[in-house]
């Protein structure tokens, strides 16, 4: 479950909670704990799930929800495949790739209908003016196989370059960029809105 664009914050939260409720349907009848995995910190699905727990929205539906926050989508999917949880927010591409490898997961809710704020960014004082100039440099991602990793790989293929993808988890992307430990990073929404005044798009 990701996020709709073109909606108010209240509508978005409502849609997100509706998606979480869809993930929890089997648990209502069984009266058990629902374990929900989300890809990383400061990402819309995580914010929505944390808000729903704080506002006791699951409890109002008779559901006990436990949230696990991973370093990236790939780690969450690995946990799902290993049986450490039954409901995760994942990319459709991860589910598709998993089926080919025998992980019989299925999508039950989806809200990613368009562009919603992913950028490859550098610091404002970076000499890099174009993504092609990242050849041989270090680019931050959340984790291998995650959405940020897929976009980093796409950039390499599109620009016909090679750079080192550095897995930092959602919480490590901005600090490592600002301290110069990496040269660029793939940032997702809404984290990009916090970073925008101190960064510049590379692609």
């Amino acid at each position: 479950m990701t996020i709709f664009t073109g909606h108010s914050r209240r509508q978005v939260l409502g849609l997100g909670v509706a998606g979480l409720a869809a993930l929890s349907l089997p648990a209502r009848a069984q009266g058990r704990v629902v374990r929900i995995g989300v890809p990383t910190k400061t990402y819309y699905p995580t914010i929505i799930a944390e808000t729903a727990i704080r506002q006791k929205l699951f409890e109002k539906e008779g559901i006990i929800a436990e949230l696990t926050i991973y370093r990236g989508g790939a780690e969450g999917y690995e946990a799902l495949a290993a049986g450490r949880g039954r409901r995760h927010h994942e990319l459709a591409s991860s589910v598709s790739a998993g089926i080919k490898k025998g992980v019989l997961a299925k999508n039950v809710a989806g809200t990613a209908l368009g562009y919603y704020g992913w950028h490859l960014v550098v610091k404002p004082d970076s000499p890099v003016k174009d993504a092609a100039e990242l050849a041989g440099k270090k680019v931050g991602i959340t984790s291998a196989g995650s959405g940020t990793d897929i976009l980093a790989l796409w950039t390499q293929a599109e620009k016909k370059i090679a750079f080192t993808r550095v897995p930092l988890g959602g919480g490590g992307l901005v600090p490592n960029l600002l301290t110069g430990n990496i040269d660029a990073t793939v940032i997702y929404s809404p984290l990009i809105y916090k970073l925008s005044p101190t960064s510049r798009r590379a692609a």
Side-chain angles (χ1 to χ4, degrees):
M1 178 195 61
T2 47
I3 209 74
F4 278 101
T5 56
H7 296 282
S8 70
R9 184 178 298 173
R10 182 172 294 175
Q11 286 174 312
V12 164
L13 182 57
L15 290 167
V17 171
L20 290 172
L23 295 176
S24 307
L25 283 175
R28 294 189 198 185
Q30 298 169 15
R32 60 181 180 175
V33 172
V34 176
R35 293 177 178 86
I36 300 171
V38 289
T40 191
K41 295 178 180 179
T42 62
Y43 188 32
Y44 270 126
T46 308
I47 293 168
I48 289 170
E50 289 178 319
T51 300
I53 289 173
R54 279 197 306 271
Q55 295 186 357
K56 303 187 184 301
L57 300 180
F58 288 106
E59 290 182 28
K60 291 175 184 175
E61 298 296 325
I63 298 168
I64 301 171
E66 291 183 359
L67 192 66
T68 302
I69 302 173
Y70 294 93
R71 285 172 51 89
E75 290 185 11
Y77 195 75
E78 289 173 2
L80 178 69
R84 299 191 307 273
R86 298 182 58 83
R87 291 154 183 87
H88 287 256
H89 168 275
E90 296 297 339
L91 296 169
S93 57
S94 296
V95 175
S96 176
I99 289 172
K100 293 179 181 178
K101 295 184 178 181
V103 181
L104 300 181
K106 63 180 179 180
N107 290 322
V108 297
T111 56
L113 298 183
Y115 165 77
Y116 50 100
W118 292 73
H119 295 279
L120 175 61
V121 301
V122 296
K123 292 171 63 175
D125 59 355
S126 170
V128 174
K129 305 298 181 187
D130 183 89
E133 298 173 31
L134 290 172
K137 306 219 179 262
K138 294 182 288 185
V139 176
I141 59 170
T142 54
S143 64
S146 65
T148 54
D149 191 24
I150 290 170
L151 292 173
L153 289 168
W154 177 87
T155 301
Q156 290 186 98
E158 178 72 10
K159 298 293 184 177
K160 297 180 175 55
I161 60 171
F163 50 68
T164 302
R165 304 183 326 277
V166 183
L168 299 166
L173 296 177
V174 174
N176 280 280
L177 178 67
L178 296 179
T179 57
N181 293 332
I182 53 176
D183 302 289
T185 190
V186 180
I187 295 286
Y188 47 84
S189 178
L191 187 57
I192 185 65
Y193 303 127
K194 181 177 181 181
L195 183 61
S196 290
T198 58
S199 66
R200 176 168 49 78
R201 286 181 62 183

